[in-house]
Each structure stands twice: as structure tokens, then as C-alpha cells.
Amino acid sequence: MIDTGADITAISPKVAKQLGLKPTGKVPVRVPTGTGATNVYINDVVIPFGSSNLGGVAHWIQNLQVMEFNGQNPNYEGLLGRDIICQGTLTVGFDCRLVFCL
């Protein structure tokens, strides 16, 4: 999910566990339901653009700090925050089509 309101990119606890990530600390968070602290991790992030067998490419970001979110939504396990979005251009068209270029 693309989240223009998130300062940093986030993953669910499920993804952190699947990747075997170890927390490097905690950061304070403020969400609509309140405030608290959550785990942060340092990890490489790869963002695929297009299908690799059709000439697609991937953008690799090394040593990115990502935070954990509660992961209660069954539709996504991660969100792209402004730490990555601001490295590129995000366009939202009148037809609600998103175009993201890095």
C-alpha cells in the first residue's frame, strides 16, 4: 500500500518474522487510535517495476529503516512511506490511477 501519511516504510509482524528480522530498537508512533512505540528494523527493500520476464526492473534500497505496524488488514502486509515515495514522483490521475517513478 502507498501511504503518503507515513513517515517511514512499514511491514507487518508476519513479514518481519518470515524474513527473520531482528529489531534494532523502537520508535514512537502516533496513529488515529492513539500513540505508542513499535519495533524498527534495518533491511534492504526491493521494489519491482513490471514483470521481470518482460524486461521489468527493480529498484534496490539498501539499509533502510522500516517500522512494524499492527498488520491487522488482510489486504496488505506492508506500506510504502514518504521515505521512499519522496525519492521519486507519485502521480494520481483523475481516474484514480497511480503512477510511481523512481
Side-chain angles (χ1 to χ4, degrees):
M1 180 169 88
I2 296 176
D3 188 346
T4 60
D7 292 332
I8 68 174
T9 295
I11 58 174
S12 70
K14 176 182 170 184
V15 168
K17 183 177 179 180
Q18 287 174 333
L19 295 174
L21 300 179
K22 303 292 182 214
T24 57
K26 290 192 176 280
V27 294
V29 292
R30 183 180 51 190
V31 295
T33 57
T35 60
T38 191
N39 290 329
V40 289
Y41 308 91
I42 301 295
N43 197 42
D44 294 348
V45 174
V46 178
I47 303 170
F49 288 94
S51 175
S52 61
N53 61 349
L54 296 175
V57 297
H59 184 73
W60 188 292
I61 302 168
Q62 295 180 328
N63 300 316
L64 184 71
Q65 183 181 49
V66 298
M67 72 175 201
E68 189 175 279
F69 71 102
N70 74 7
Q72 298 295 327
N73 190 314
N75 297 316
Y76 58 88
E77 294 290 338
L79 58 89
L80 213 57
R82 289 192 312 271
D83 56 341
I84 294 177
I85 296 168
C86 290
Q87 292 183 33
T89 302
L90 174 64
T91 305
V92 181
F94 291 110
D95 59 355
C96 296
R97 183 176 299 183
L98 296 175
V99 177
F100 182 52
C101 301
L102 280 171

